Amino acid sequence: MTLWNGSYPFYPGANACFPFDTTRAVIVTVFLSMLATFIIILPGIPGGRRLLWLLRLVLGLFMGAVILNVQFTGDWESGWVQANTSYKSFSPVQVSADIGLHIGLAGLNVTLRGNPVQQINETIDYNEHFAWSFGADYDHSYSQGLQKGLPSPILYVAEKFSSQSPCGVHGQYRIAGHYVSLTLWLAFCTWLISILLFSMSILLYGGQMLLLTGTLILSSLLLFSTARSSLRCPVQFGPVSLKTDYGESFWLALATGLLCLLLGLAVIILNSVQPQKLKLIFSLDKSNEEEQWDQSWLPAQPSCSAQGGFMVPLGELCPGTGTQL
């Protein structure tokens, strides 16, 4: 038996994984609840309009959920690498592990997962978050990681994004994340306005706001791309390097932005070229049967032989019907 059972006294005894972020779960739950609520009233809509109404509902909720959800995701940029690397400082022991880097708008996550998970009598499964939003101190989080004695690969990756690093990417990612988040909040507001305008049957302005929503989403992606394209230091683990690429949130936001752009253009073009078809899509065009049914309840038009409740000569009211003697 060795002193401290083969481990250093300043390392924590148990691995604490990053807690699950419930924000995304709450957003998805709220939008799914709204969808389920509207589906309950779906049988009350006339059959010809039911499918179009359901399609508009699903597309609208999908766009809103994506715009709001990608604000809190941490996979705008991500990458993985498998390497043999040292596990702890001041120790020559090496482990085989999968190392992941996930960059979001408010910070980054560094993942260390053993391959296999059980090695050197420990469970190697870490996921540490380092925030760089304007309300957080990235360097302080990194210092806390040093004090806790996090594994060396996590500290090595986190150091590359610190403000003291010669790589110089901390400020670029931080500022880009702030403005991307602000642009997405504006896109969410314009999406709400477009839904309100469509519900009020103001189709042209609704299409313009939807077009503006798509433009704002694509602008946010352009802002994030400018930070990613900057010159960075390589994250090297022996002969292999950790390379990142656009993550799921980026591609999902891109698809949503293009969808908003196309739908907004379609509404504007249809409103100019074929407004009747646009009204039919939004269930605003009444059928002839409904118009006839409404007119059947109107009072009958007075005949030309009676006017104002008194009798007049027939020749004056209906010229051409009288025969001169």
Side-chain angles (χ1 to χ4, degrees), residues 107-118:
L108 59 87
N109 284 10
V110 184
T111 303
L112 179 66
R113 186 177 304 144
N115 190 14
V117 178
Q118 295 290 338

Side-chain angles (χ1 to χ4, degrees), residues 137-189:
D137 190 351
Y138 184 92
D139 293 336
H140 180 67
S141 300
Y142 176 70
S143 299
Q144 286 184 334
L146 288 173
Q147 294 175 4
K148 290 189 301 182
L150 293 177
S152 296
I154 295 179
L155 296 176
Y156 170 69
V157 176
E159 184 185 7
K160 295 288 185 179
F161 293 87
S162 65
S163 60
Q164 305 299 327
S165 174
C167 298
V169 297
H170 173 80
Q172 296 177 3
Y173 271 101
R174 184 186 183 191
I175 295 175
H178 175 73
Y179 284 106
V180 168
S181 179
L182 179 61
T183 307
L184 288 176
W185 279 119
L186 291 176
F188 183 74
C189 293

Side-chain angles (χ1 to χ4, degrees), residues 193-240:
I193 296 174
S194 68
I195 295 298
L196 180 62
L197 292 174
F198 283 136
S199 63
M200 297 172 61
S201 303
I202 309 178
L203 304 183
L204 178 59
Y205 292 147
Q208 292 175 351
M209 294 306 297
L210 197 60
L211 183 64
L212 179 59
T213 302
T215 304
L216 288 173
I217 296 175
L218 297 179
S219 300
S220 67
L221 300 179
L222 182 61
L223 288 173
F224 185 81
S225 299
T226 56
R228 185 183 181 276
S229 61
S230 60
L231 182 62
R232 295 175 298 168
C233 300
V235 183
Q236 198 76 24
F237 293 94
V240 296

Side-chain angles (χ1 to χ4, degrees), residues 8 60 64 75-76 79 122 148 156 158 233 242 245 251-252 255 274 284 289:
Y8 293 96
D75 55 351
W76 279 72
E122 290 190 24
K148 290 189 301 182
Y156 170 69
C233 300
L242 176 59
D245 201 354
W251 296 115
L252 187 60
Q274 294 182 340
L284 299 178
E289 296 180 358

Side-chain angles (χ1 to χ4, degrees), residues 22 34 39 44 71 74 84 118 121 129 135-136 138 145 148 167 186 203 210 223 225 233 247 267 272 294 301-302 317:
T22 58
M34 295 173 60
I39 288 179
Q71 289 267 11
N84 295 322
Q118 295 290 338
N121 297 325
H129 180 70
Y138 184 92
K148 290 189 301 182
C167 298
L186 291 176
L203 304 183
L210 197 60
L223 288 173
S225 299
C233 300
V267 170
S272 301
D294 292 337
Q301 297 292 333
L317 274 180

